[in-house]
Amino acid sequence: MTEARVKLIVDDIVEAVRDVLRKHKVTFPEYRAGFFHLLETAKSGEMGLLIDMLFNQTVCDIEMQSREGTRFCVEGPYFLEGAPEVKDAIKLRGDYEPLLIRGQITSTDGSPLNDAVVDVWFADPDGFYSGFEDDFPIEYCRGKVRTDADGHYSVQASVPGEYPITRERHGPTGQLVEMLGRQGWRPAHVHFKANKDGFRSLTTQAYFEGGNYLDNDPVEAVFDDLTHATTQEDGTRVLDVNFTLDPA
Ligand code: MBD
Ligand code: FE
């Protein structure tokens, strides 16, 4: 990002916030209340959560104006660069229901993409992400899988829990969600980030047809084209998710 671009955008953010302060004749005590709320959010380690909840989907919408293929969707605050490469199975935790996640990655022209690398990450059944909790190392509930010669990938995972942005789990952010009159639970979802040389990186999510909170996601990141029915195969639940990558 260039310095000129930082100046352009930050100047406009500051001006937009000042406009709101003037519009609502914000008092000094109100200003301080907001100030301390943001400080508390930072102290609780929830700054990423707050910012992504409010703004990540907007940036994804902008991204979609200039790309083809699978919808780009919220990355959220819980992606980690260092997830292990996995062959067939991701390490799992808790009282989980197995979920086989598989699919094919193709280019916008329909050709299968071999050796594409897909980061897959999801919450455990209790709605926790690995790498963000003590005793929940990043080898769990996340991994990098690679497509074969026909562009297929397949990995054993677990059905993710719904994710609470609630007062009980997240103090300041959950409180804000309540004050805004929203409900705080994210629907169950799986995150993906697909990379292949010569193609634009794709970050997206998959949701489960018939799941809770699909109509009132606090992050506003649910779309029909990202919502999938699962099937049952040899007693295991299967989520088929194909991705179409946009040539760079
Ligand atoms: C999540 O699990 C998530 O994916 C986002 C975008 C925000 C909060 C929690
Ligand atoms: Fe998530």
Side-chain angles (χ1 to χ4, degrees):
M1 189 171 188
T2 63
E3 262 181 55
R5 193 92 175 128
V6 171
K7 174 168 166 47
L8 181 73
I9 293 164
V10 176
D11 275 350
D12 272 5
I13 291 174
V14 171
E15 215 30 67
V17 174
R18 286 175 181 167
D19 279 345
V20 171
L21 298 177
R22 285 187 283 257
K23 177 180 169 192
H24 296 292
K25 298 193 168 38
V26 169
T27 65
F28 185 70
E30 288 171 337
Y31 166 70
R32 270 290 178 255
F35 176 101
F36 283 120
H37 189 90
L38 287 175
L39 282 195
E40 280 307 310
T41 304
K43 268 195 236 164
S44 307
E46 297 176 9
M47 217 56 202
L49 176 65
L50 177 71
I51 296 170
D52 278 349
M53 180 179 81
L54 296 177
F55 302 116
N56 196 340
Q57 183 53 46
T58 303
V59 177
C60 297
D61 293 343
I62 298 165
E63 174 83 15
M64 284 314 292
Q65 292 170 3
S66 73
R67 72 185 281 151
E68 304 204 327
T70 302
R71 178 187 295 281
F72 196 97
C73 185
V74 172
E75 177 168 307
Y78 302 119
F79 171 69
L80 290 173
E81 286 290 348
E85 280 226 22
V86 292
K87 258 255 154 293
D88 310 301
I90 290 174
K91 278 191 181 168
L92 302 167
R93 177 174 99 148
D95 190 12
Y96 62 82
E97 180 186 353
L99 178 71
L100 180 67
I101 305 174
R102 69 178 182 203
Q104 189 184 30
I105 305 190
T106 53
S107 173
T108 45
D109 69 7
S111 53
L113 299 177
N114 66 300
D115 267 322
V117 175
V118 191
D119 267 279
V120 180
W121 73 103
F122 49 89
D124 80 354
D126 298 317
F128 290 101
Y129 281 90
S130 71
F132 292 87
E133 310 291 327
D134 295 339
D135 302 323
F136 195 16
I138 73 163
E139 294 77 26
Y140 289 81
C141 294
R142 60 178 80 231
K144 291 180 194 297
V145 292
R146 199 175 277 274
T147 56
D148 66 14
D150 300 320
H152 287 102
Y153 73 95
S154 175
V155 69
Q156 299 278 356
S158 58
V159 177
E162 294 150 352
Y163 187 90
I165 312 179
T166 57
R167 187 195 287 271
E168 291 69 34
R169 181 73 71 81
H170 293 287
T173 311
Q175 214 181 321
L176 184 71
V177 166
E178 280 181 26
M179 286 191 289
L180 298 178
R182 304 183 189 181
Q183 74 81 30
W185 288 83
R186 290 219 70 212
H189 58 278
V190 180
H191 293 270
F192 300 90
K193 190 195 281 276
N195 284 294
K196 164 82 183 169
D197 281 349
F199 291 81
R200 289 171 72 171
S201 181
L202 172 70
T203 301
T204 190
Q205 299 189 28
Y207 301 92
F208 297 84
E209 210 174 273
N212 297 321
Y213 313 118
L214 291 169
D215 292 332
N216 48 6
D217 176 18
V219 176
E220 300 174 89
V222 177
F223 298 86
D224 285 349
D225 49 312
L226 300 181
T227 305
H228 306 269
T230 56
T231 53
Q232 208 61 39
E233 224 172 79
D234 306 324
T236 302
R237 209 162 157 194
V238 181
L239 173 67
D240 272 282
V241 193
N242 302 326
F243 303 105
T244 309
L245 299 191
D246 195 15

